[in-house]
Amino acid sequence: MENFMKPNDLKMRNELEKLETLTPEQFALALCGWYEVNDEEKRKEKWSKLGREVNEFKRGDIVYSRYHGFGVYIGDEEMMPFGENGYKWMRPVDLFELELIAPVESRFDIE
């Protein structure tokens, strides 16, 4: 039984999330071992649901940077990280280091 994967195993959760994005045809192929789900496809689908290209950030998006933490994307490859007392100084960022947390269209605090 030690080889049995537990439902709370993080790797298994990631694999199950990938399966949720498959079309019925892709799922059938995956069951036969003829289709491999990769993170790039999942990433493209996530962005296309927003009507954006991959890494197409908009001013006002809430983002996460592994170097600067959480903040607001302000455009021109710059973000303003959140600080304890509000915002800090603007920081230049590489778009590939950012992760979209909330698109500006879903924010209720701005119009």
Side-chain angles (χ1 to χ4, degrees), residues 35-88:
Y35 184 84
E36 186 175 317
V37 181
N38 63 40
D39 291 331
E40 188 59 32
E41 288 179 22
K42 186 177 174 184
R43 187 176 169 96
K44 284 180 183 178
E45 185 173 332
K46 172 184 155 183
W47 284 94
S48 68
K49 285 180 182 178
L50 298 172
R52 301 186 195 184
E53 296 293 322
V54 174
N55 289 343
E56 182 185 337
F57 294 96
K58 292 185 180 179
R59 183 180 180 89
D61 286 344
I62 303 295
V63 296
Y64 175 77
S65 162
R66 62 179 169 223
Y67 302 112
H68 307 297
F70 292 94
V72 177
Y73 184 75
I74 57 171
D76 297 325
E77 296 187 15
E78 289 189 318
M79 71 174 282
M80 194 171 290
F82 296 131
E84 290 180 13
N85 299 321
Y87 295 111
K88 295 181 182 178

Side-chain angles (χ1 to χ4, degrees), residues 1-58:
M1 288 299 271
E2 60 260 11
N3 293 334
F4 184 76
M5 293 184 76
K6 297 177 183 150
N8 62 355
D9 184 353
L10 183 59
K11 183 175 181 168
M12 186 174 180
R13 278 192 205 169
N14 288 339
E15 295 302 315
L16 290 174
E17 286 176 1
K18 290 178 187 178
L19 291 176
E20 290 176 353
T21 64
L22 296 180
T23 66
E25 293 81 13
Q26 291 170 330
F27 187 75
L29 291 172
L31 287 175
C32 297
W34 297 332
Y35 184 84
E36 186 175 317
V37 181
N38 63 40
D39 291 331
E40 188 59 32
E41 288 179 22
K42 186 177 174 184
R43 187 176 169 96
K44 284 180 183 178
E45 185 173 332
K46 172 184 155 183
W47 284 94
S48 68
K49 285 180 182 178
L50 298 172
R52 301 186 195 184
E53 296 293 322
V54 174
N55 289 343
E56 182 185 337
F57 294 96
K58 292 185 180 179

